[in-house]
């Protein structure tokens, strides 16, 4: 009976993994259970992974771990100063961020100059179920920042600790703010007394949409717990950060224009005036709100009831425009009406539109002559405005 290629691949891979597990684990008390679980996991892997990929991955894994195990148990002695200097120090490499195209990793002795956090009893994050920790704020480049740490990793199925740099305060920034920055996140090795630096190769753009950048797979939790790595000593983790904000030579001008949908109903406001015949100079109504801005009406009489040239003009004032910045403006369309007796004619001042700005807060209607017109109801009349705010800039 001729055995298939798949059978021999499964046999070789299973035998190699099983032998390695027994060799490396059974010399420690209570590890038989671990070996059984590991062999069972290897069996599942054999059934799921294609043949060629299985051979390559298993071969690399077995050779790497056997080499490390033999080297750890039988270190090469350095008998002379020359051999000691030329000897290569081999330690199990930590599983660090895998997106090498996006970052530069290097070590340095100088501590971070802008921010450093020392987290004691780091493992209690897991015990208490704390999946996110935000550090205190620090300043860099005229902005406030903080580190955001995800002990369980950000995202499902992530076996790494995730670390991000985030803007701590954005409410005080101008509308449509945006800038670029280069940053480095530090991981302190408490054995070598050096810092592992993770620096992005290219600047990152921070804005309203994206105010947080970092590394989803900063360090594998297994590597972090490895005492020989030096990153978690006495359950203490030390992280740091440096941020360099790229300054632009010119201030970009950004304009936001909001065109409002036509209202489903008419916005009107009435202003009742008493003792109309006694009016002199300019009369102003109380303020009233509309679309988040304050408005009022003004009445401009010219002449008096004994004269032959009595005319009236009405003005609409955007009170809020007094505090507008130079670039702010509002466009509104409005109709003014003057009402008196129920059976008298309503004087309509036509349809007007106006851009209200800080330097032009008032729009006046054309004048209407009231000579010989009996429309007052006991010296009283009503000034009505119908407004439609159309554009806000």
């Amino acid at each position: 009976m001729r055995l298939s290629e798949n059978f021999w691949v499964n046999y070789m891979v299973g035998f190699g993994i099983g032998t390695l597990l027994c060799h490396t684990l059974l010399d420690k008390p209570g590890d038989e259970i671990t070996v059984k679980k590991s062999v069972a996991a290897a069996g599942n892997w054999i059934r799921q992974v294609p043949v060629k990929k299985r051979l390559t991955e298993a071969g690399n894994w077995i050779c790497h771990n056997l080499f490390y195990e033999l080297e750890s148990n039988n270190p090469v002695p350095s008998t002379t100063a020359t051999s000691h200097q030329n000897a290569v120090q081999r330690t199990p490499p930590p599983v660090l961020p895998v997106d090498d195209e996006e970052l530069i990793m290097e070590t340095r002795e100088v501590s971070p100059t802008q921010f450093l956090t020392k987290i004691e009893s780091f493992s209690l994050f897991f015990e208490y179920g704390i999946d996110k920790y935000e550090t205190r704020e620090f300043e860099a480049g005229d902005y406030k920042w903080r580190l955001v740490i995800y002990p369980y990793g950000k995202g499902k199925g992530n076996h790494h600790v995730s670390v991000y740099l985030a803007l701590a305060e954005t409410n005080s920034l101008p509308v449509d703010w945006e800038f670029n920055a280069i940053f480095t996140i530090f991981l302190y090795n408490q054995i070598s007394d050096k810092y592992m630096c993770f620096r992005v190769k290219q600047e990152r753009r921070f804005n309203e949409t994206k105010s947080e950048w970092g590394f989803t797979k900063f360090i594998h939790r297994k590597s972090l717990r490895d005492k020989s790595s030096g990153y978690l000593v006495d359950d203490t983790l030390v992280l740091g950060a440096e941020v360099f904000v790229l300054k632009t030579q010119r201030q970009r001008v950004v304009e936001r224009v909001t065109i409002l949908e036509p209202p489903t109903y008419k916005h009107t406001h009435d202003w009742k005036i008493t003792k109309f015949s006694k009016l002199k100079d300019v009369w102003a109504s109380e303020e009233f709100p509309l679309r988040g801005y304050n408005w009022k009406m003004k009445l401009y009489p010219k002449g008096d009831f004994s004269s032959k040239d009595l005319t009236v003009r009405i003005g609409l004032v955007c009170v809020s425009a007094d505090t507008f910045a130079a670039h702010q403006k509002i466009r509104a369309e409005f109709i003014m009406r003057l009402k008196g007796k129920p059976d008298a004619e309503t004087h309509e001042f036509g349809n007007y539109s106006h851009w209200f700005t800080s330097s032009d807060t008032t729009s006046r209607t054309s004048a209407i002559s009231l000579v010989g017109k009996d429309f007052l109801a006991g010296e009283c009349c009503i000034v009505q405005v119908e407004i439609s705010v159309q554009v806000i800039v």
Side-chain angles (χ1 to χ4, degrees), residues 5 9 49-58:
E5 177 188 6
V9 170
V49 178
V51 174
K52 292 183 179 180
K53 186 177 180 181
R54 206 181 304 154
L55 276 174
T56 303
E57 292 185 357

Side-chain angles (χ1 to χ4, degrees), residues 74 122 142 164 174 191 196 220 242 284 287 353-354 375 391:
N74 301 283
F122 183 80
D142 299 328
Y164 283 77
I191 295 178
M196 179 68 76
H220 200 287
E242 288 181 353
E287 294 182 14
S353 62
H354 188 75
F375 75 98
V391 184

Side-chain angles (χ1 to χ4, degrees), residues 325-393:
H327 66 275
Q328 286 183 282
K329 55 185 177 180
I330 292 179
R331 186 181 192 276
E333 187 177 74
F334 62 95
I335 300 173
M336 290 290 191
R337 301 183 182 95
L338 191 61
K339 298 180 178 181
K341 295 178 180 180
D343 57 345
E345 177 186 0
T346 297
H347 299 279
E348 191 167 288
F349 288 75
N351 198 331
Y352 295 85
S353 62
H354 188 75
W355 285 98
F356 294 89
T357 66
S358 58
S359 59
D360 188 5
T361 62
T362 304
S363 175
R364 294 180 178 87
T365 65
S366 57
I368 290 183
S369 175
L370 299 180
V371 176
K373 295 181 179 180
D374 182 20
F375 75 98
L376 293 178
E379 288 291 307
C380 295
C381 70
I382 294 176
V383 179
Q384 183 185 78
V385 61
E386 179 183 322
I387 313 176
S388 174
V389 178
Q390 299 174 330
V391 184
I392 300 175
V393 181

Side-chain angles (χ1 to χ4, degrees), residues 141-161:
D142 299 328
Y143 297 96
K144 293 183 179 180
W145 308 83
R146 62 162 51 98
L147 287 182
V148 182
I149 304 166
Y150 299 85
Y152 294 97
K154 188 177 183 180
K156 294 182 179 180
N158 189 357
H159 301 289
H160 297 71
V161 174

Side-chain angles (χ1 to χ4, degrees), residues 110-138:
V110 179
S111 62
T113 58
Q114 294 175 337
F115 180 71
L116 193 70
T117 178
K118 182 179 181 181
I119 304 175
E120 300 175 350
S121 302
F122 183 80
S123 61
L124 292 182
F125 277 143
F126 302 96
E127 183 174 338
Y128 295 145
I130 301 175
D131 57 3
K132 180 181 179 181
Y133 171 69
E134 297 182 352
T135 69
R136 62 175 294 181
E137 298 177 1
F138 66 95

